[in-house]
Amino acid sequence: MHKKYVALLFTAVSLVTGSSLSAQQKSTITLASQENAPTINKHIYGHFAEHLGRCIYDGFYVGEKSTVPNTNGVRNDIIAALKELGIPNLRWPGGCFADTYHWKDGIGPKDERPEMVNQWWGGVTEDNSFGTHDFLDLCETLGTEPYLAANVGSGTVQEFTEWIQYVNHTGKSPMSDLRKKNHREKAWGVNIWGVGNEAWGCGGNMTPEHYANLYRQYATFMSDWTNSGKMFRIASGANVADYHWTEVLMRDIPKNLIEGVALHSYSFVTWEKKGSSTKFDEQQYFTTMQTALKMEELVTKHTEIMDKYDPAKKIALIVDEWGGWYDVEEGTNPGFLYQQNTMRDAMIAGTTLNIFNNHSDRVRMANLAQTVNVLQAVILTKGDKMILTPTYHVMHLYKVHQDAKLIPIKVASPDYKFGDKTLPAISASASAKDGKTHISLVNIHSTDKITTEINLESLKLKNFTAKIISSGKLQDHNTFENPNAITEKEFKDFKFKNGTLSVTLPPFSVVVLEGK
């Protein structure tokens, strides 16, 4: 073919795809000073289980009489998968559901519990068969810390504080006596508490000034009943870029009444037209990644506000809802938010966790939404079948960062271009723990492999191994018929010579390297 026509063809294909076809792009990563680097708090890798769709019922909880193997009604396969994932905390019962939930309806004999209508999610009637004991016993089984989101929107201070007394009081009291009557002698000792949820929206459509005063009232009466001062109180924080909300909370809430400020942000094509979770094109993929990478700006700007009032960084930024949000799968209840999970979600997970790791001086807890069968779930179920999603495998690879010392890095990345817009193609974070160094790398580019060079001479490392999550198409996902289409695999496309690690990352891939 004539060179002129080859050039024309190249240009035409580039215009159609909206991206560069160069397969020889390179990036570099350099290490910054580690002297004052923070520890990556394990709670950044937290999860979220709301009474929404099939997350609790027909997800976690199938009931003691189910033919699906279970422990006290909770699926054994889910318990095993979450233990392997090493989840550090689990948030419950919401979400929007939290501010309609009255905890006393979910204790005592199950056949005597009142029913309620889930007004936020599908209008379904539930029987409260999964309640406080079920959730906290599940957390004990998982070895994870419970995060209880309490009702401020439609509840009272007394209801809230009685719940704390019920689960935490070790001596004799009305609520600890009630707990013992319900066959639980030992207090659970719940430390993490959310004071309402999304007070700017489904939690009451409040102004930040009103919520700040309400928070002060609730937080004043919160006690762990041991005077140890260990209770971790989280204020309902901003919706995405509502920086005024964070400003008011940090300004108006006394520092002795608060340990964390929340932030919620989801990734999607557009809020009005979220698109299919599996039938998306490159433009929809690129736009979704724009909203995902916006997390860097959100965390930075909310942190700047918090730094004005709390320069010692004693108050944590808690991103307790994040993840991809698309249209529900065809034929499912639109209020159940059930969606599939593709390589696009793996890109969201990898890049978002890298952002959290790199900001771990302020971000000390986060919760992926949600654990089972809802939004960017790590687990999907169908009858007695269960599959692990690409997001599960990313979080499994990244668990090496939990409670590890951050290695600050600087990334010089080539652009991923679509039309007249660009995004950095490479995302990364690194940490050290127990004599091992881990580097997590993500290439979000839809077509280009990218070689990344990392100078690690100062770390005196000798040997590396690696694992990868990748696939042939961005839309690829695991199904109940083919549950292992996307899994973690051994990765060898890297070289380590004279202290420099050279890694060739396939398009839309996640790689975690271990050096020692």
Side-chain angles (χ1 to χ4, degrees):
M1 187 180 292
H2 194 280
K3 290 183 179 180
K4 179 175 67 174
Y5 296 109
V6 173
L8 288 172
L9 179 60
F10 182 95
T11 302
V13 173
S14 296
L15 289 171
V16 170
T17 63
S19 60
S20 166
L21 293 182
S22 169
Q24 302 301 318
Q25 296 198 63
K26 291 187 178 182
S27 70
T28 59
I29 295 175
T30 56
L31 305 187
S33 172
Q34 301 174 51
E35 185 177 355
N36 298 313
T39 295
I40 299 171
N41 197 308
K42 67 179 181 180
H43 288 294
I44 284 174
Y45 291 81
H47 292 262
F48 177 27
E50 184 171 5
H51 284 243
L52 195 174
R54 295 195 304 114
C55 183
I56 299 297
Y57 301 108
D58 197 32
F60 274 99
Y61 187 75
V62 291
E64 294 88 339
K65 296 180 181 179
S66 173
T67 57
V68 178
N70 68 85
T71 300
N72 298 323
V74 178
R75 293 178 64 128
N76 290 342
D77 51 4
I78 288 181
I79 290 173
L82 294 181
K83 279 186 173 182
E84 175 60 27
L85 197 56
I87 68 170
N89 69 75
L90 186 60
R91 180 175 181 242
W92 177 86
C96 292
F97 182 83
D99 281 303
T100 61
Y101 182 66
H102 299 281
W103 69 271
K104 287 183 181 178
D105 292 344
I107 61 173
K110 297 197 176 189
D111 59 356
E112 297 178 12
R113 297 180 188 179
E115 293 182 337
M116 68 173 292
V117 175
N118 192 332
Q119 68 183 68
W120 291 111
W121 305 118
V124 295
T125 299
E126 73 156 88
D127 59 6
N128 278 304
S129 56
F130 189 91
T132 296
H133 287 251
D134 306 274
F135 174 69
L136 295 181
D137 289 348
L138 167 62
C139 288
E140 280 191 337
T141 299
L142 294 174
T144 194
E145 193 162 350
Y147 168 11
L148 292 179
N151 185 346
V152 169
S154 66
T156 65
V157 171
Q158 180 176 345
E159 181 182 19
F160 193 157
T161 56
E162 284 184 342
W163 199 13
I164 298 172
Q165 185 184 132
Y166 185 86
V167 300
N168 283 0
H169 200 287
T170 57
K172 181 173 175 57
S173 73
M175 292 299 102
S176 60
D177 287 348
L178 179 59
R179 181 188 72 238
K180 293 171 185 176
K181 180 182 177 182
N182 289 327
H183 312 294
R184 173 73 187 199
E185 183 72 24
K186 182 181 177 182
W188 287 281
V190 177
N191 181 40
I192 307 171
W193 292 82
V195 184
N197 167 78
E198 294 189 356
W200 41 263
C202 62
N205 280 303
M206 304 176 196
T207 64
E209 291 79 6
H210 177 74
Y211 173 73
N213 283 332
L214 194 63
Y215 175 92
R216 290 164 64 126
Q217 178 187 6
Y218 274 77
T220 298
F221 290 93
M222 296 173 70
S223 169
D224 67 353
W225 303 100
T226 66
N227 294 318
S228 68
K230 290 183 178 180
M231 183 168 286
F232 196 93
R233 297 161 293 187
I234 300 172
S236 172
N239 178 28
V240 195
D242 186 352
Y243 300 114
H244 176 65
W245 188 280
T246 299
E247 183 91 34
V248 171
L249 265 55
M250 293 300 297
R251 182 193 70 202
D252 291 358
I253 298 174
K255 302 306 174 284
N256 65 328
L257 290 179
I258 186 170
E259 285 71 42
V261 173
L263 170 65
H264 290 180
S265 181
Y266 287 93
S267 305
F268 41 76
V269 179
T270 67
W271 185 249
E272 295 78 15
K273 295 182 179 180
K274 299 182 181 69
S276 168
S277 63
T278 57
K279 300 172 185 176
F280 56 89
D281 58 23
E282 186 175 6
Q283 180 177 5
Q284 291 171 311
Y285 167 66
F286 188 92
T287 304
T288 305
M289 293 313 300
Q290 280 183 304
T291 61
L293 294 178
K294 183 83 170 178
M295 185 67 77
E296 175 73 32
E297 177 184 318
L298 296 175
V299 168
T300 298
K301 290 187 174 181
H302 284 290
T303 293
E304 287 172 354
I305 295 168
M306 296 177 75
D307 285 347
K308 283 200 305 182
Y309 300 93
D310 175 36
K313 298 184 184 290
K314 293 183 178 179
I315 299 172
L317 181 59
I318 311 294
V319 191
D320 56 13
E321 289 189 29
W322 67 272
W325 191 328
Y326 319 115
D327 293 341
V328 301
E329 294 302 296
E330 294 181 7
T332 65
N333 189 320
F336 282 11
L337 305 188
Y338 176 79
Q339 63 189 42
Q340 251 295 353
N341 197 289
T342 68
M343 284 300 300
R344 172 173 61 173
D345 297 285
M347 298 300 98
I348 293 173
T351 54
T352 303
L353 292 170
N354 283 339
I355 292 168
F356 294 160
N357 288 347
N358 290 326
H359 288 273
S360 52
D361 58 339
R362 181 66 80 175
V363 179
R364 298 198 284 277
M365 183 171 165
N367 299 81
L368 174 68
Q370 292 186 15
T371 316
V372 184
N373 290 333
V374 172
L375 298 176
Q376 192 173 337
V378 293
I379 293 170
L380 300 177
T381 66
K382 181 180 180 182
D384 62 353
K385 296 180 180 180
M386 182 196 81
I387 58 175
L388 307 178
T389 67
T391 299
Y392 177 98
H393 292 296
V394 172
M395 298 198 82
H396 186 255
L397 284 184
Y398 274 53
K399 72 177 183 177
V400 294
H401 292 302
Q402 292 185 23
D403 284 343
K405 180 86 166 178
L406 177 71
I407 300 176
I409 59 175
K410 295 180 180 179
V411 180
S413 171
D415 288 335
Y416 168 32
K417 297 180 181 180
F418 188 86
D420 59 353
K421 296 181 173 60
T422 63
L423 291 172
I426 299 299
S427 166
S429 64
S431 69
K433 182 181 178 181
D434 299 332
K436 298 177 182 178
T437 294
H438 292 98
I439 304 169
S440 51
L441 302 169
V442 183
N443 176 13
I444 69 166
H445 205 293
S446 64
T447 59
D448 288 11
K449 62 182 179 181
I450 296 175
T451 298
T452 300
E453 293 189 349
I454 315 167
N455 189 329
L456 299 170
E457 190 172 2
S458 62
L459 298 182
K460 308 298 182 185
L461 301 171
K462 295 182 179 179
N463 299 303
F464 275 91
T465 58
K467 288 188 176 181
I468 187 172
I469 298 168
S470 65
S471 194
K473 294 191 299 182
L474 276 161
Q475 297 80 4
D476 287 347
H477 55 279
N478 293 333
T479 66
F480 294 100
E481 295 72 32
N482 187 7
N484 297 311
I486 299 172
T487 60
E488 305 149 47
K489 298 177 181 178
E490 186 178 7
F491 179 70
K492 292 186 176 182
D493 200 358
F494 63 88
K495 297 177 182 178
F496 187 54
K497 186 177 181 181
N498 298 327
T500 296
L501 183 67
S502 181
V503 187
T504 300
L505 300 168
F508 54 95
S509 63
V510 178
V511 170
V512 175
L513 299 113
E514 178 177 289
K516 55 185 178 180

